[in-house]
PDB file of all heavy atoms in Angstrom:
ATOM      1  N   VAL F  29      23.836   9.922   1.390  1.00  0.00           N
ATOM      2  CA  VAL F  29      24.412   8.794   2.140  1.00  0.00           C
ATOM      3  C   VAL F  29      25.341   8.014   1.200  1.00  0.00           C
ATOM      4  O   VAL F  29      25.310   8.207  -0.014  1.00  0.00           O
ATOM      5  CB  VAL F  29      23.315   7.823   2.691  1.00  0.00           C
ATOM      6  CG1 VAL F  29      22.555   8.439   3.849  1.00  0.00           C
ATOM      7  CG2 VAL F  29      22.365   7.375   1.596  1.00  0.00           C
ATOM      8  N   ASP F  30      26.113   7.090   1.804  1.00  0.00           N
ATOM      9  CA  ASP F  30      27.073   6.314   1.027  1.00  0.00           C
ATOM     10  C   ASP F  30      26.343   5.173   0.291  1.00  0.00           C
ATOM     11  O   ASP F  30      26.230   4.056   0.787  1.00  0.00           O
ATOM     12  CB  ASP F  30      28.139   5.748   1.982  1.00  0.00           C
ATOM     13  CG  ASP F  30      29.185   4.933   1.243  1.00  0.00           C
ATOM     14  OD1 ASP F  30      29.253   5.048   0.000  1.00  0.00           O
ATOM     15  OD2 ASP F  30      29.898   4.165   1.910  1.00  0.00           O
ATOM     16  N   THR F  31      25.795   5.504  -0.867  1.00  0.00           N
ATOM     17  CA  THR F  31      25.080   4.506  -1.668  1.00  0.00           C
ATOM     18  C   THR F  31      25.250   4.858  -3.140  1.00  0.00           C
ATOM     19  O   THR F  31      25.907   5.835  -3.478  1.00  0.00           O
ATOM     20  CB  THR F  31      23.583   4.430  -1.282  1.00  0.00           C
ATOM     21  OG1 THR F  31      22.988   3.309  -1.924  1.00  0.00           O
ATOM     22  CG2 THR F  31      22.824   5.702  -1.667  1.00  0.00           C
ATOM     23  N   ASN F  32      24.673   4.045  -4.005  1.00  0.00           N
ATOM     24  CA  ASN F  32      24.750   4.364  -5.444  1.00  0.00           C
ATOM     25  C   ASN F  32      23.585   3.716  -6.178  1.00  0.00           C
ATOM     26  O   ASN F  32      22.940   2.780  -5.651  1.00  0.00           O
ATOM     27  CB  ASN F  32      26.094   3.904  -6.024  1.00  0.00           C
ATOM     28  CG  ASN F  32      26.326   2.434  -5.751  1.00  0.00           C
ATOM     29  OD1 ASN F  32      25.667   1.578  -6.330  1.00  0.00           O
ATOM     30  ND2 ASN F  32      27.244   2.132  -4.834  1.00  0.00           N
ATOM     31  N   TRP F  35      23.616  -0.219  -6.607  1.00  0.00           N
ATOM     32  CA  TRP F  35      23.244  -1.002  -5.421  1.00  0.00           C
ATOM     33  C   TRP F  35      21.722  -0.965  -5.223  1.00  0.00           C
ATOM     34  O   TRP F  35      21.080  -1.989  -5.023  1.00  0.00           O
ATOM     35  CB  TRP F  35      23.957  -0.476  -4.160  1.00  0.00           C
ATOM     36  CG  TRP F  35      23.833  -1.427  -2.991  1.00  0.00           C
ATOM     37  CD1 TRP F  35      24.717  -2.394  -2.626  1.00  0.00           C
ATOM     38  CD2 TRP F  35      22.737  -1.539  -2.070  1.00  0.00           C
ATOM     39  NE1 TRP F  35      24.252  -3.095  -1.526  1.00  0.00           N
ATOM     40  CE2 TRP F  35      23.024  -2.578  -1.166  1.00  0.00           C
ATOM     41  CE3 TRP F  35      21.514  -0.862  -1.910  1.00  0.00           C
ATOM     42  CZ2 TRP F  35      22.189  -2.969  -0.123  1.00  0.00           C
ATOM     43  CZ3 TRP F  35      20.662  -1.251  -0.874  1.00  0.00           C
ATOM     44  CH2 TRP F  35      21.006  -2.286   0.003  1.00  0.00           C
ATOM     45  N   ILE F  36      21.175   0.227  -5.295  1.00  0.00           N
ATOM     46  CA  ILE F  36      19.730   0.369  -5.022  1.00  0.00           C
ATOM     47  C   ILE F  36      18.917  -0.379  -6.087  1.00  0.00           C
ATOM     48  O   ILE F  36      17.943  -1.073  -5.772  1.00  0.00           O
ATOM     49  CB  ILE F  36      19.311   1.860  -4.948  1.00  0.00           C
ATOM     50  CG1 ILE F  36      20.077   2.566  -3.829  1.00  0.00           C
ATOM     51  CG2 ILE F  36      17.810   1.985  -4.698  1.00  0.00           C
ATOM     52  CD1 ILE F  36      19.882   4.089  -3.796  1.00  0.00           C
ATOM     53  N   ARG F  39      19.544  -4.336  -5.548  1.00  0.00           N
ATOM     54  CA  ARG F  39      19.083  -4.911  -4.270  1.00  0.00           C
ATOM     55  C   ARG F  39      17.622  -4.597  -3.975  1.00  0.00           C
ATOM     56  O   ARG F  39      16.959  -5.344  -3.264  1.00  0.00           O
ATOM     57  CB  ARG F  39      19.901  -4.402  -3.081  1.00  0.00           C
ATOM     58  CG  ARG F  39      21.387  -4.534  -3.232  1.00  0.00           C
ATOM     59  CD  ARG F  39      21.825  -5.963  -3.330  1.00  0.00           C
ATOM     60  NE  ARG F  39      21.781  -6.658  -2.051  1.00  0.00           N
ATOM     61  CZ  ARG F  39      22.394  -7.809  -1.817  1.00  0.00           C
ATOM     62  NH1 ARG F  39      23.107  -8.384  -2.772  1.00  0.00           N
ATOM     63  NH2 ARG F  39      22.310  -8.391  -0.649  1.00  0.00           N
ATOM     64  N   ILE F  40      17.103  -3.477  -4.511  1.00  0.00           N
ATOM     65  CA  ILE F  40      15.718  -3.083  -4.175  1.00  0.00           C
ATOM     66  C   ILE F  40      14.877  -2.862  -5.429  1.00  0.00           C
ATOM     67  O   ILE F  40      13.698  -3.206  -5.457  1.00  0.00           O
ATOM     68  CB  ILE F  40      15.677  -1.798  -3.298  1.00  0.00           C
ATOM     69  CG1 ILE F  40      16.809  -1.769  -2.262  1.00  0.00           C
ATOM     70  CG2 ILE F  40      14.328  -1.716  -2.583  1.00  0.00           C
ATOM     71  CD1 ILE F  40      16.872  -0.512  -1.422  1.00  0.00           C
ATOM     72  N   CYS F 116       2.217  -1.897   6.191  1.00  0.00           N
ATOM     73  CA  CYS F 116       2.123  -2.005   4.727  1.00  0.00           C
ATOM     74  C   CYS F 116       0.973  -2.906   4.263  1.00  0.00           C
ATOM     75  O   CYS F 116       0.671  -2.955   3.070  1.00  0.00           O
ATOM     76  CB  CYS F 116       3.432  -2.511   4.148  1.00  0.00           C
ATOM     77  SG  CYS F 116       4.811  -1.447   4.552  1.00  0.00           S
ATOM     78  N   ARG F 155      21.632   4.637   5.390  1.00  0.00           N
ATOM     79  CA  ARG F 155      21.574   4.153   3.998  1.00  0.00           C
ATOM     80  C   ARG F 155      20.808   2.844   3.857  1.00  0.00           C
ATOM     81  O   ARG F 155      20.403   2.467   2.768  1.00  0.00           O
ATOM     82  CB  ARG F 155      22.981   3.995   3.431  1.00  0.00           C
ATOM     83  CG  ARG F 155      23.768   2.830   4.023  1.00  0.00           C
ATOM     84  CD  ARG F 155      25.069   2.648   3.290  1.00  0.00           C
ATOM     85  NE  ARG F 155      25.781   1.490   3.796  1.00  0.00           N
ATOM     86  CZ  ARG F 155      26.867   0.992   3.233  1.00  0.00           C
ATOM     87  NH1 ARG F 155      27.352   1.553   2.152  1.00  0.00           N
ATOM     88  NH2 ARG F 155      27.453  -0.065   3.749  1.00  0.00           N
ATOM     89  N   ALA F 156      20.613   2.132   4.994  1.00  0.00           N
ATOM     90  CA  ALA F 156      19.899   0.850   4.918  1.00  0.00           C
ATOM     91  C   ALA F 156      18.387   1.029   4.778  1.00  0.00           C
ATOM     92  O   ALA F 156      17.691   0.107   4.361  1.00  0.00           O
ATOM     93  CB  ALA F 156      20.217   0.007   6.151  1.00  0.00           C
ATOM     94  N   PRO F 159      16.777   4.618   1.134  1.00  0.00           N
ATOM     95  CA  PRO F 159      16.450   4.466  -0.296  1.00  0.00           C
ATOM     96  C   PRO F 159      15.080   3.842  -0.537  1.00  0.00           C
ATOM     97  O   PRO F 159      14.541   3.925  -1.640  1.00  0.00           O
ATOM     98  CB  PRO F 159      17.541   3.519  -0.819  1.00  0.00           C
ATOM     99  CG  PRO F 159      18.608   3.515   0.217  1.00  0.00           C
ATOM    100  CD  PRO F 159      17.923   3.772   1.516  1.00  0.00           C
ATOM    101  N   ILE F 160      14.525   3.200   0.491  1.00  0.00           N
ATOM    102  CA  ILE F 160      13.356   2.346   0.281  1.00  0.00           C
ATOM    103  C   ILE F 160      12.047   3.143   0.167  1.00  0.00           C
ATOM    104  O   ILE F 160      11.192   2.831  -0.654  1.00  0.00           O
ATOM    105  CB  ILE F 160      13.206   1.349   1.457  1.00  0.00           C
ATOM    106  CG1 ILE F 160      14.480   0.520   1.612  1.00  0.00           C
ATOM    107  CG2 ILE F 160      11.997   0.454   1.283  1.00  0.00           C
ATOM    108  CD1 ILE F 160      14.503  -0.342   2.868  1.00  0.00           C
ATOM    109  N   PHE F 161      11.920   4.178   1.007  1.00  0.00           N
ATOM    110  CA  PHE F 161      10.583   4.720   1.252  1.00  0.00           C
ATOM    111  C   PHE F 161      10.228   5.965   0.441  1.00  0.00           C
ATOM    112  O   PHE F 161      11.103   6.759   0.097  1.00  0.00           O
ATOM    113  CB  PHE F 161      10.411   5.015   2.739  1.00  0.00           C
ATOM    114  CG  PHE F 161      10.633   3.796   3.609  1.00  0.00           C
ATOM    115  CD1 PHE F 161      11.660   3.745   4.534  1.00  0.00           C
ATOM    116  CD2 PHE F 161       9.813   2.692   3.469  1.00  0.00           C
ATOM    117  CE1 PHE F 161      11.867   2.609   5.317  1.00  0.00           C
ATOM    118  CE2 PHE F 161      10.014   1.553   4.241  1.00  0.00           C
ATOM    119  CZ  PHE F 161      11.043   1.521   5.171  1.00  0.00           C
ATOM    120  N   LEU F 194      10.866  -4.377  12.875  1.00  0.00           N
ATOM    121  CA  LEU F 194      10.323  -3.280  12.066  1.00  0.00           C
ATOM    122  C   LEU F 194       9.455  -2.414  12.975  1.00  0.00           C
ATOM    123  O   LEU F 194       8.330  -2.818  13.324  1.00  0.00           O
ATOM    124  CB  LEU F 194       9.512  -3.854  10.892  1.00  0.00           C
ATOM    125  CG  LEU F 194       8.916  -2.892   9.876  1.00  0.00           C
ATOM    126  CD1 LEU F 194       9.907  -1.862   9.395  1.00  0.00           C
ATOM    127  CD2 LEU F 194       8.353  -3.654   8.687  1.00  0.00           C
ATOM    128  N   GLN F 219      14.573  -0.849  10.965  1.00  0.00           N
ATOM    129  CA  GLN F 219      14.249  -2.096  10.259  1.00  0.00           C
ATOM    130  C   GLN F 219      15.462  -3.011  10.173  1.00  0.00           C
ATOM    131  O   GLN F 219      16.547  -2.567   9.792  1.00  0.00           O
ATOM    132  CB  GLN F 219      13.760  -1.789   8.835  1.00  0.00           C
ATOM    133  CG  GLN F 219      13.522  -3.064   8.004  1.00  0.00           C
ATOM    134  CD  GLN F 219      12.876  -2.820   6.658  1.00  0.00           C
ATOM    135  OE1 GLN F 219      11.697  -3.030   6.498  1.00  0.00           O
ATOM    136  NE2 GLN F 219      13.657  -2.363   5.709  1.00  0.00           N
ATOM    137  N   GLY F 221      16.513  -5.369   7.928  1.00  0.00           N
ATOM    138  CA  GLY F 221      16.089  -5.677   6.563  1.00  0.00           C
ATOM    139  C   GLY F 221      16.091  -7.148   6.197  1.00  0.00           C
ATOM    140  O   GLY F 221      15.117  -7.655   5.646  1.00  0.00           O
ATOM    141  N   ARG F 222      17.199  -7.834   6.552  1.00  0.00           N
ATOM    142  CA  ARG F 222      17.291  -9.241   6.122  1.00  0.00           C
ATOM    143  C   ARG F 222      16.203 -10.121   6.726  1.00  0.00           C
ATOM    144  O   ARG F 222      15.634 -10.966   6.047  1.00  0.00           O
ATOM    145  CB  ARG F 222      18.650  -9.807   6.524  1.00  0.00           C
ATOM    146  CG  ARG F 222      19.687  -9.588   5.448  1.00  0.00           C
ATOM    147  CD  ARG F 222      20.976 -10.216   5.821  1.00  0.00           C
ATOM    148  NE  ARG F 222      22.041  -9.273   5.502  1.00  0.00           N
ATOM    149  CZ  ARG F 222      23.331  -9.551   5.583  1.00  0.00           C
ATOM    150  NH1 ARG F 222      23.725 -10.719   6.007  1.00  0.00           N
ATOM    151  NH2 ARG F 222      24.216  -8.655   5.246  1.00  0.00           N
ATOM    152  N   VAL F 224      13.253  -9.105   7.909  1.00  0.00           N
ATOM    153  CA  VAL F 224      11.957  -8.712   7.341  1.00  0.00           C
ATOM    154  C   VAL F 224      11.811  -9.295   5.931  1.00  0.00           C
ATOM    155  O   VAL F 224      10.742  -9.788   5.551  1.00  0.00           O
ATOM    156  CB  VAL F 224      11.812  -7.163   7.327  1.00  0.00           C
ATOM    157  CG1 VAL F 224      10.498  -6.753   6.683  1.00  0.00           C
ATOM    158  CG2 VAL F 224      11.906  -6.602   8.734  1.00  0.00           C
ATOM    159  N   TYR F 225      12.893  -9.252   5.192  1.00  0.00           N
ATOM    160  CA  TYR F 225      12.897  -9.780   3.827  1.00  0.00           C
ATOM    161  C   TYR F 225      12.462 -11.249   3.802  1.00  0.00           C
ATOM    162  O   TYR F 225      11.585 -11.648   3.030  1.00  0.00           O
ATOM    163  CB  TYR F 225      14.323  -9.640   3.257  1.00  0.00           C
ATOM    164  CG  TYR F 225      14.478 -10.072   1.824  1.00  0.00           C
ATOM    165  CD1 TYR F 225      14.348  -9.155   0.795  1.00  0.00           C
ATOM    166  CD2 TYR F 225      14.754 -11.398   1.502  1.00  0.00           C
ATOM    167  CE1 TYR F 225      14.499  -9.550  -0.526  1.00  0.00           C
ATOM    168  CE2 TYR F 225      14.900 -11.796   0.191  1.00  0.00           C
ATOM    169  CZ  TYR F 225      14.775 -10.866  -0.819  1.00  0.00           C
ATOM    170  OH  TYR F 225      14.921 -11.261  -2.120  1.00  0.00           O
ATOM    171  N   ALA F 228       8.851 -11.669   4.661  1.00  0.00           N
ATOM    172  CA  ALA F 228       8.001 -11.143   3.583  1.00  0.00           C
ATOM    173  C   ALA F 228       7.900 -12.146   2.438  1.00  0.00           C
ATOM    174  O   ALA F 228       6.792 -12.449   1.961  1.00  0.00           O
ATOM    175  CB  ALA F 228       8.556  -9.804   3.086  1.00  0.00           C
ATOM    176  N   HIS F 256       2.421  -5.876  -2.845  1.00  0.00           N
ATOM    177  CA  HIS F 256       2.997  -4.729  -2.135  1.00  0.00           C
ATOM    178  C   HIS F 256       4.383  -4.460  -2.726  1.00  0.00           C
ATOM    179  O   HIS F 256       5.147  -5.389  -2.994  1.00  0.00           O
ATOM    180  CB  HIS F 256       3.087  -5.062  -0.637  1.00  0.00           C
ATOM    181  CG  HIS F 256       3.857  -4.049   0.137  1.00  0.00           C
ATOM    182  ND1 HIS F 256       3.615  -2.704   0.046  1.00  0.00           N
ATOM    183  CD2 HIS F 256       4.894  -4.186   1.034  1.00  0.00           C
ATOM    184  CE1 HIS F 256       4.447  -2.050   0.846  1.00  0.00           C
ATOM    185  NE2 HIS F 256       5.234  -2.923   1.442  1.00  0.00           N
ATOM    186  N   ALA F 258       7.684  -3.454  -2.025  1.00  0.00           N
ATOM    187  CA  ALA F 258       8.710  -3.186  -1.008  1.00  0.00           C
ATOM    188  C   ALA F 258      10.106  -3.445  -1.556  1.00  0.00           C
ATOM    189  O   ALA F 258      11.060  -2.774  -1.182  1.00  0.00           O
ATOM    190  CB  ALA F 258       8.487  -4.043   0.225  1.00  0.00           C
ATOM    191  N   ASN F 259      10.215  -4.431  -2.416  1.00  0.00           N
ATOM    192  CA  ASN F 259      11.520  -4.798  -2.970  1.00  0.00           C
ATOM    193  C   ASN F 259      11.247  -5.664  -4.200  1.00  0.00           C
ATOM    194  O   ASN F 259      10.481  -6.625  -4.133  1.00  0.00           O
ATOM    195  CB  ASN F 259      12.299  -5.599  -1.908  1.00  0.00           C
ATOM    196  CG  ASN F 259      13.711  -5.909  -2.364  1.00  0.00           C
ATOM    197  OD1 ASN F 259      13.949  -6.253  -3.528  1.00  0.00           O
ATOM    198  ND2 ASN F 259      14.659  -5.792  -1.454  1.00  0.00           N
ATOM    199  N   ARG F 261      12.951  -7.808  -5.594  1.00  0.00           N
ATOM    200  CA  ARG F 261      13.334  -9.222  -5.432  1.00  0.00           C
ATOM    201  C   ARG F 261      12.245 -10.003  -4.684  1.00  0.00           C
ATOM    202  O   ARG F 261      12.025 -11.175  -4.966  1.00  0.00           O
ATOM    203  CB  ARG F 261      14.683  -9.324  -4.698  1.00  0.00           C
ATOM    204  CG  ARG F 261      15.851  -8.847  -5.572  1.00  0.00           C
ATOM    205  CD  ARG F 261      17.177  -9.033  -4.869  1.00  0.00           C
ATOM    206  NE  ARG F 261      17.287  -8.177  -3.715  1.00  0.00           N
ATOM    207  CZ  ARG F 261      17.813  -8.536  -2.533  1.00  0.00           C
ATOM    208  NH1 ARG F 261      18.260  -9.762  -2.348  1.00  0.00           N
ATOM    209  NH2 ARG F 261      17.892  -7.688  -1.537  1.00  0.00           N
ATOM    210  N   ILE F 262      11.579  -9.363  -3.734  1.00  0.00           N
ATOM    211  CA  ILE F 262      10.461 -10.026  -3.035  1.00  0.00           C
ATOM    212  C   ILE F 262       9.336 -10.293  -4.043  1.00  0.00           C
ATOM    213  O   ILE F 262       8.746 -11.372  -4.088  1.00  0.00           O
ATOM    214  CB  ILE F 262       9.933  -9.155  -1.859  1.00  0.00           C
ATOM    215  CG1 ILE F 262      11.033  -8.936  -0.809  1.00  0.00           C
ATOM    216  CG2 ILE F 262       8.680  -9.784  -1.235  1.00  0.00           C
ATOM    217  CD1 ILE F 262      10.631  -7.992   0.339  1.00  0.00           C
ATOM    218  N   ASN F 286       8.598   2.344  -1.803  1.00  0.00           N
ATOM    219  CA  ASN F 286       7.615   1.735  -0.906  1.00  0.00           C
ATOM    220  C   ASN F 286       6.826   2.837  -0.213  1.00  0.00           C
ATOM    221  O   ASN F 286       7.352   3.564   0.620  1.00  0.00           O
ATOM    222  CB  ASN F 286       8.374   0.872   0.117  1.00  0.00           C
ATOM    223  CG  ASN F 286       7.461   0.185   1.113  1.00  0.00           C
ATOM    224  OD1 ASN F 286       6.251   0.448   1.161  1.00  0.00           O
ATOM    225  ND2 ASN F 286       8.020  -0.701   1.923  1.00  0.00           N
ATOM    226  N   PHE F 314       2.645  -7.374   2.825  1.00  0.00           N
ATOM    227  CA  PHE F 314       3.354  -7.764   4.043  1.00  0.00           C
ATOM    228  C   PHE F 314       3.828  -6.489   4.735  1.00  0.00           C
ATOM    229  O   PHE F 314       4.305  -5.569   4.071  1.00  0.00           O
ATOM    230  CB  PHE F 314       4.578  -8.635   3.702  1.00  0.00           C
ATOM    231  CG  PHE F 314       5.342  -9.051   4.928  1.00  0.00           C
ATOM    232  CD1 PHE F 314       4.979 -10.198   5.610  1.00  0.00           C
ATOM    233  CD2 PHE F 314       6.383  -8.275   5.418  1.00  0.00           C
ATOM    234  CE1 PHE F 314       5.658 -10.578   6.770  1.00  0.00           C
ATOM    235  CE2 PHE F 314       7.064  -8.646   6.575  1.00  0.00           C
ATOM    236  CZ  PHE F 314       6.698  -9.801   7.244  1.00  0.00           C
ATOM    237  N   GLY F 315       3.726  -6.444   6.058  1.00  0.00           N
ATOM    238  CA  GLY F 315       4.202  -5.237   6.745  1.00  0.00           C
ATOM    239  C   GLY F 315       4.480  -5.458   8.214  1.00  0.00           C
ATOM    240  O   GLY F 315       4.383  -6.576   8.743  1.00  0.00           O
ATOM    241  N   GLY F 316       4.807  -4.371   8.880  1.00  0.00           N
ATOM    242  CA  GLY F 316       5.132  -4.393  10.306  1.00  0.00           C
ATOM    243  C   GLY F 316       4.027  -5.045  11.122  1.00  0.00           C
ATOM    244  O   GLY F 316       2.859  -4.961  10.790  1.00  0.00           O
TER     245      GLY F 316
HETATM  246  O1  UT7 T 401       7.411  -2.859   3.421  1.00  0.00           O
HETATM  247  C1  UT7 T 401       7.309  -3.691   4.490  1.00  0.00           C
HETATM  248  C2  UT7 T 401       8.391  -4.536   4.854  1.00  0.00           C
HETATM  249  N1  UT7 T 401       9.720  -4.208   4.413  1.00  0.00           N
HETATM  250  C3  UT7 T 401      10.329  -4.979   3.515  1.00  0.00           C
HETATM  251  O2  UT7 T 401       9.740  -5.848   2.908  1.00  0.00           O
HETATM  252  C4  UT7 T 401      11.831  -4.781   3.307  1.00  0.00           C
HETATM  253  C5  UT7 T 401      12.545  -6.111   3.379  1.00  0.00           C
HETATM  254  N2  UT7 T 401      13.994  -6.017   3.291  1.00  0.00           N
HETATM  255  C6  UT7 T 401      14.641  -5.643   2.154  1.00  0.00           C
HETATM  256  O3  UT7 T 401      14.013  -5.316   1.166  1.00  0.00           O
HETATM  257  C7  UT7 T 401      16.142  -5.709   2.127  1.00  0.00           C
HETATM  258  O4  UT7 T 401      16.594  -6.447   3.244  1.00  0.00           O
HETATM  259  C8  UT7 T 401      16.856  -4.329   2.115  1.00  0.00           C
HETATM  260  C9  UT7 T 401      16.578  -3.640   0.790  1.00  0.00           C
HETATM  261  C10 UT7 T 401      16.340  -3.481   3.264  1.00  0.00           C
HETATM  262  C11 UT7 T 401      18.361  -4.498   2.247  1.00  0.00           C
HETATM  263  O5  UT7 T 401      18.842  -5.365   1.232  1.00  0.00           O
HETATM  264  P1  UT7 T 401      19.766  -6.613   1.613  1.00  0.00           P
HETATM  265  O6  UT7 T 401      20.090  -7.290   0.355  1.00  0.00           O
HETATM  266  O7  UT7 T 401      19.009  -7.423   2.645  1.00  0.00           O
HETATM  267  O8  UT7 T 401      21.035  -5.938   2.193  1.00  0.00           O
HETATM  268  P2  UT7 T 401      21.707  -6.131   3.625  1.00  0.00           P
HETATM  269  O9  UT7 T 401      20.977  -5.371   4.656  1.00  0.00           O
HETATM  270  O10 UT7 T 401      21.951  -7.583   3.847  1.00  0.00           O
HETATM  271  O11 UT7 T 401      23.119  -5.421   3.369  1.00  0.00           O
HETATM  272  C12 UT7 T 401      24.084  -5.973   2.461  1.00  0.00           C
HETATM  273  C13 UT7 T 401      25.260  -5.004   2.372  1.00  0.00           C
HETATM  274  C14 UT7 T 401      25.770  -4.554   3.738  1.00  0.00           C
HETATM  275  O12 UT7 T 401      27.177  -4.443   3.647  1.00  0.00           O
HETATM  276  P3  UT7 T 401      28.138  -5.581   4.228  1.00  0.00           P
HETATM  277  O13 UT7 T 401      27.799  -5.676   5.693  1.00  0.00           O
HETATM  278  O14 UT7 T 401      27.789  -6.826   3.473  1.00  0.00           O
HETATM  279  O15 UT7 T 401      29.498  -5.048   3.957  1.00  0.00           O
HETATM  280  C15 UT7 T 401      25.176  -3.207   3.926  1.00  0.00           C
HETATM  281  O16 UT7 T 401      25.947  -2.366   4.765  1.00  0.00           O
HETATM  282  O17 UT7 T 401      24.863  -3.818   1.706  1.00  0.00           O
HETATM  283  C16 UT7 T 401      25.174  -2.680   2.509  1.00  0.00           C
HETATM  284  N3  UT7 T 401      24.186  -1.654   2.278  1.00  0.00           N
HETATM  285  C17 UT7 T 401      24.287  -0.749   1.296  1.00  0.00           C
HETATM  286  N4  UT7 T 401      25.231  -0.529   0.371  1.00  0.00           N
HETATM  287  C18 UT7 T 401      25.028   0.487  -0.497  1.00  0.00           C
HETATM  288  C19 UT7 T 401      23.012  -1.471   2.931  1.00  0.00           C
HETATM  289  N5  UT7 T 401      22.338  -0.439   2.396  1.00  0.00           N
HETATM  290  C20 UT7 T 401      23.116   0.020   1.387  1.00  0.00           C
HETATM  291  C21 UT7 T 401      22.965   1.067   0.460  1.00  0.00           C
HETATM  292  N6  UT7 T 401      23.936   1.255  -0.464  1.00  0.00           N
HETATM  293  N7  UT7 T 401      21.878   1.865   0.443  1.00  0.00           N
END
Side-chain angles (χ1 to χ4, degrees):
V29 288
D30 180 15
T31 189
N32 55 71
W35 192 94
I36 300 172
R39 308 297 285 196
I40 322 177
C116 302
R155 71 173 183 171
I160 303 171
F161 302 117
L194 183 48
Q219 175 173 258
R222 271 183 224 187
V224 178
Y225 183 93
H256 171 50
N259 185 319
R261 289 184 294 139
I262 298 175
N286 180 351
F314 180 87

